[in-house]
Amino acid sequence: MTYADLSEVKDSLQLKETDTQYDAAITRILTSIDTEINNHCHRTFTLAESASARKFPAQTATCVFIDDVSTADGLVVEVGNSGGWTTVDEDEYECNPINGILNGEPWPVTNLIALGGRVWPSRALYRVRVTGLWGWPAVPGPVKEAAVLLAVRTLKRPDAPFGVTFGDLGSIQVQLRDPDITTKLDPYQRAGGFG
């Protein structure tokens, strides 16, 4: 599954569904665009098929940043190391963003805040292990739209050799970065590595 699909790009290009001459190129480009978006945002917007465990160091005694986990439901949090793990009670931490909402839209859990005297382990050999369903429950609308815009831009690239296209006003320099695309993606950028 890609962030945008073939029919959305064809609709944006005003191609009929029966016009299949560009289907292979669009499909190839959409796969590449997912990687571009992931690299720009430092996260992926896909959803894992099943829950799994991942280990994280605590950044502070009260906060541990984790990879994006789609929901707090069924989350298992443990502390320890390869010598053994101890489950942390749900009332000893809070998932952020609170209620799974950020800027008015559904958002995955990105960090855990210690509550009630709980302190995340800070010693080098100790970690926080989280078991959950990693990723986003759905691709956000702006990310999907950015994928469509990038696909159209990439498909139209041969029409602007060396970044220059020609129109009624003469030659026009095509911007290297499309501000419409970055405006859609920038709010989803994650500080640090992939999540």
Side-chain angles (χ1 to χ4, degrees):
M1 182 194 96
T2 54
Y3 296 156
D5 62 41
L6 179 65
S7 63
E8 291 167 323
V9 175
K10 288 176 81 166
D11 183 56
S12 187
L13 290 166
Q14 299 177 347
L15 295 173
K16 294 178 182 174
E17 284 297 321
T18 55
D19 185 352
T20 59
Q21 66 178 328
Y22 300 108
D23 286 7
I26 293 171
T27 301
R28 185 188 73 249
I29 288 166
L30 284 172
T31 301
S32 170
I33 284 168
D34 284 3
T35 302
E36 290 179 52
I37 289 173
N38 294 346
N39 288 338
H40 180 84
C41 295
H42 305 289
R43 61 176 14 125
T44 62
F45 297 94
T46 54
L47 183 62
E49 293 181 11
S50 60
S52 62
R54 296 182 185 178
K55 299 172 195 158
F56 305 93
Q59 282 69 36
T60 69
T62 58
C63 181
V64 58
F65 287 94
I66 63 173
D67 296 339
D68 299 333
V69 66
S70 64
T71 179
D73 296 340
L75 203 64
V76 176
V77 178
E78 302 165 291
V79 293
N81 59 26
S82 58
W85 297 93
T86 304
T87 302
V88 178
D89 291 334
E90 288 182 25
D91 60 351
E92 293 184 89
Y93 66 90
E94 179 176 77
C95 295
N96 278 329
I98 297 171
N99 300 320
I101 303 291
L102 184 66
N103 299 327
E105 71 176 312
W107 205 269
V109 176
T110 58
N111 61 73
L112 306 173
I113 304 298
L115 300 174
R118 156 64 64 189
V119 175
W120 297 121
S122 59
R123 291 177 286 172
L125 298 177
Y126 286 82
R127 296 284 184 258
V128 177
R129 183 168 72 178
V130 179
T131 303
L133 191 58
W134 303 101
W136 286 62
V139 177
V143 172
K144 183 179 277 291
E145 186 61 25
V148 171
L149 289 171
L150 273 167
V152 170
R153 182 181 171 96
T154 304
L155 284 163
K156 294 286 189 176
R157 182 71 178 106
D159 296 338
F162 307 108
V164 177
T165 189
F166 299 90
D168 295 338
L169 301 174
S171 65
I172 301 169
Q173 180 73 37
V174 178
Q175 294 178 328
L176 290 176
R177 290 194 171 264
D178 187 327
D180 293 331
I181 294 170
T182 55
T183 298
K184 291 179 185 314
L185 293 178
D186 284 354
Y188 297 93
Q189 281 189 317
R190 177 186 175 103
F194 271 80

